[in-house]
């Protein structure tokens, strides 16, 4: 019975230790910053919001670990790549069996990579409208694009030691995953009868500093 729950996480076991190390650094730093910020700003402590912000920090630590730490799969994929791919490829996005034989190692890696890039940004789509409550849907999409493009840029610049490649297809999958998360949150808000404001400039800054 235990194997049923453990087996799906085995491909990600190489990320666990770096994630724990990064979280052990990021979380205390964040807590110190929040305590300092709350004392200097004079705002009251909201337990629910602090837990939400802490969850966001832990998620970002996991995102950095999953996308920037070298691993065996990224190294093997990098050996056959040029370092950057700027052309969207439908076959790469869908892992079509016409270009990748069913049951092949290449297709298995493609499916694993596509699924991972999609699901990796799904929590981001859920968290950003919860952290910034007046964020509009399209501003959330812009944030997801900016984060994904920044990750791909860092991967390209650090490819010599990280063995990772920048790929526009990863950006597409990331944004699709974030869009699904955003749509889910806004659908729940719509069903509950709450609509976030479209103007977000000063509100985002105010909520971040609170």
């Amino acid at each position: 019975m235990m194997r049923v729950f453990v087996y799906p996480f085995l491909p990600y076991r190489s990320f666990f230790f770096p994630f724990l190390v990064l979280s052990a650094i990021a979380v205390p730093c964040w807590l110190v910053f929040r305590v300092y910020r709350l004392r200097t700003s004079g705002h009251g402590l909201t337990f629910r919001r602090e837990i939400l912000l802490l969850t966001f920090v832990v998620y970002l630590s996991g995102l950095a670990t999953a996308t920037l730490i070298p691993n065996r799969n990224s190294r093997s994929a990098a050996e056959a790549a040029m370092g950057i791919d700027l052309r969207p490829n439908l076959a790469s996005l869908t892992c079509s069996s016409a270009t990748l034989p069913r049951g092949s190692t290449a297709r298995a890696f493609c499916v694993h990579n596509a699924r991972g890039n999609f699901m990796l940004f799904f929590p981001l789509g859920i968290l950003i409208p919860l952290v910034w409550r007046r964020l509009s849907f399209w501003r959330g999409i812009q944030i997801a694009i900016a984060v994904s493009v920044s990750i791909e840029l860092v991967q390209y610049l650090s490819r010599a030691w990280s063995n990772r490649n920048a790929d526009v297809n990863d950006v597409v999958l990331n944004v699709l995953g974030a869009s699904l998360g955003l749509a889910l949150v806004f659908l729940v808000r719509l069903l509950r009868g709450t609509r976030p404001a479209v103007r977000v400039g000063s509100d985002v800054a105010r909520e971040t500093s609170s």
Side-chain angles (χ1 to χ4, degrees):
M1 179 64 70
M2 196 66 178
R3 293 176 59 186
V4 176
F5 296 99
V6 174
Y7 183 75
F9 297 97
L10 289 180
Y12 306 99
R13 61 186 180 276
S14 61
F15 297 114
F16 290 155
F17 181 71
F19 168 67
L20 291 176
V21 171
L22 186 58
S23 297
I25 297 173
V27 170
C29 291
W30 171 255
L31 293 177
V32 170
F33 168 76
R34 288 302 293 172
V35 170
Y36 169 78
R37 191 65 181 172
L38 290 170
R39 285 185 175 181
T40 56
S41 64
H43 292 288
L45 176 67
T46 305
F47 181 75
R48 179 176 175 273
R49 179 162 178 77
E50 294 306 318
I51 291 297
L52 179 62
L53 291 172
L54 183 60
T55 302
F56 191 53
V57 171
V58 173
Y59 165 74
L60 291 179
S61 298
L63 181 64
T65 303
T67 56
L68 302 178
I69 299 297
N71 62 84
R72 182 170 56 84
N73 289 335
S74 65
R75 186 176 295 113
S76 61
E79 291 175 355
M82 296 296 294
I84 186 169
D85 189 353
L86 299 177
R87 296 176 300 176
N89 188 336
L90 185 61
S92 179
L93 293 172
T94 61
C95 300
S96 171
S97 58
T99 55
L100 297 172
R102 188 177 300 274
S104 64
T105 303
R107 189 168 192 271
F109 177 82
C110 178
V111 172
H112 176 75
N113 182 68
R115 185 184 302 159
N117 277 295
F118 182 86
M119 294 305 299
L120 195 61
F121 268 57
F122 177 71
L124 180 68
I126 294 177
L127 287 171
I128 52 178
L130 297 180
V131 172
W132 295 294
R133 289 165 296 203
R134 299 187 181 183
L135 192 77
S136 68
F137 180 85
W138 296 114
R139 183 59 64 89
I141 295 294
Q142 292 172 7
I143 292 175
I145 293 174
V147 172
S148 182
V149 170
S150 298
I151 289 174
E152 296 301 317
L153 180 60
V154 172
Q155 289 180 341
Y156 176 72
L157 294 176
S158 64
R159 65 192 184 281
W161 65 271
S162 68
N163 297 302
R164 290 184 178 270
N165 302 296
D167 190 347
V168 70
N169 298 292
D170 292 348
V171 176
V172 174
L173 290 167
N174 291 160
V175 175
L176 287 176
S179 299
L180 180 60
L182 281 163
L184 181 61
V185 172
F186 278 81
L187 178 61
V188 171
R189 286 177 174 176
L190 182 63
L191 294 176
R192 293 176 57 185
T194 57
R195 297 179 60 187
V198 175
R199 298 171 59 186
V200 299
S202 59
D203 295 322
V204 169
R206 184 164 53 252
E207 290 187 9
T208 304
S209 63
S210 63

